[in-house]
Amino acid sequence: MVKNATVSARIDEDIKNQAEEILHQLGIPVSVVINTLYHQIIARNGVPFSLTLPRKPKSLGEITKSELDAKLQHSYEQACSRQGRPLDDVFETIERKHI
């Protein structure tokens, strides 16, 4: 099959750079990934992964005491085992995605 078409899309530069770095480490050209995605769209007659809206988090008035306790316990355990991220990093990520 002759490859004679071009795909062009505008995306966030940081996302592009991160993805391309991962692909570089894997030794996979971006064009191969895009070509594979297009083949999967054709094979599945749709997008090959779920496209859904994220669930809105429950407000404090909607969550039960046991759900809140479980979330707090989980967060506490993550903090104790140093699995969390610095708060500044979390807010920076949120701002990049939503601002």
Side-chain angles (χ1 to χ4, degrees), residues 42-99:
I42 293 166
R44 295 171 184 253
N45 201 29
V47 180
F49 45 82
S50 176
L51 294 174
T52 61
L53 295 173
R55 281 191 266 161
K56 179 182 166 195
K58 291 181 180 179
S59 70
L60 191 55
E62 297 171 320
I63 195 169
T64 67
K65 182 182 181 320
S66 61
E67 288 174 318
L68 178 59
D69 288 345
K71 287 183 181 295
L72 291 172
Q73 182 64 35
H74 177 72
S75 297
Y76 176 75
E77 290 167 2
Q78 281 185 314
C80 289
S81 63
R82 299 193 178 277
Q83 292 177 1
R85 295 186 322 177
L87 191 58
D88 290 341
D89 290 353
V90 173
F91 280 112
E92 184 178 313
T93 300
I94 291 169
E95 288 172 352
R96 268 191 275 130
K97 287 183 179 180
H98 300 287
I99 294 180

Side-chain angles (χ1 to χ4, degrees), residues 36-46 48:
T36 302
L37 173 62
Y38 274 45
H39 276 87
Q40 285 296 307
I41 290 169
I42 293 166
R44 295 171 184 253
N45 201 29

Side-chain angles (χ1 to χ4, degrees), residues 8-50:
S8 179
R10 299 198 60 79
I11 63 171
D12 180 272
E13 184 176 7
D14 188 46
I15 296 296
K16 175 187 173 288
N17 292 338
Q18 288 181 53
E20 287 181 356
E21 176 59 29
I22 292 167
L23 293 174
H24 176 75
Q25 290 175 22
L26 293 170
I28 303 171
V30 174
S31 60
V32 170
V33 173
I34 293 170
N35 197 36
T36 302
L37 173 62
Y38 274 45
H39 276 87
Q40 285 296 307
I41 290 169
I42 293 166
R44 295 171 184 253
N45 201 29
V47 180
F49 45 82
S50 176

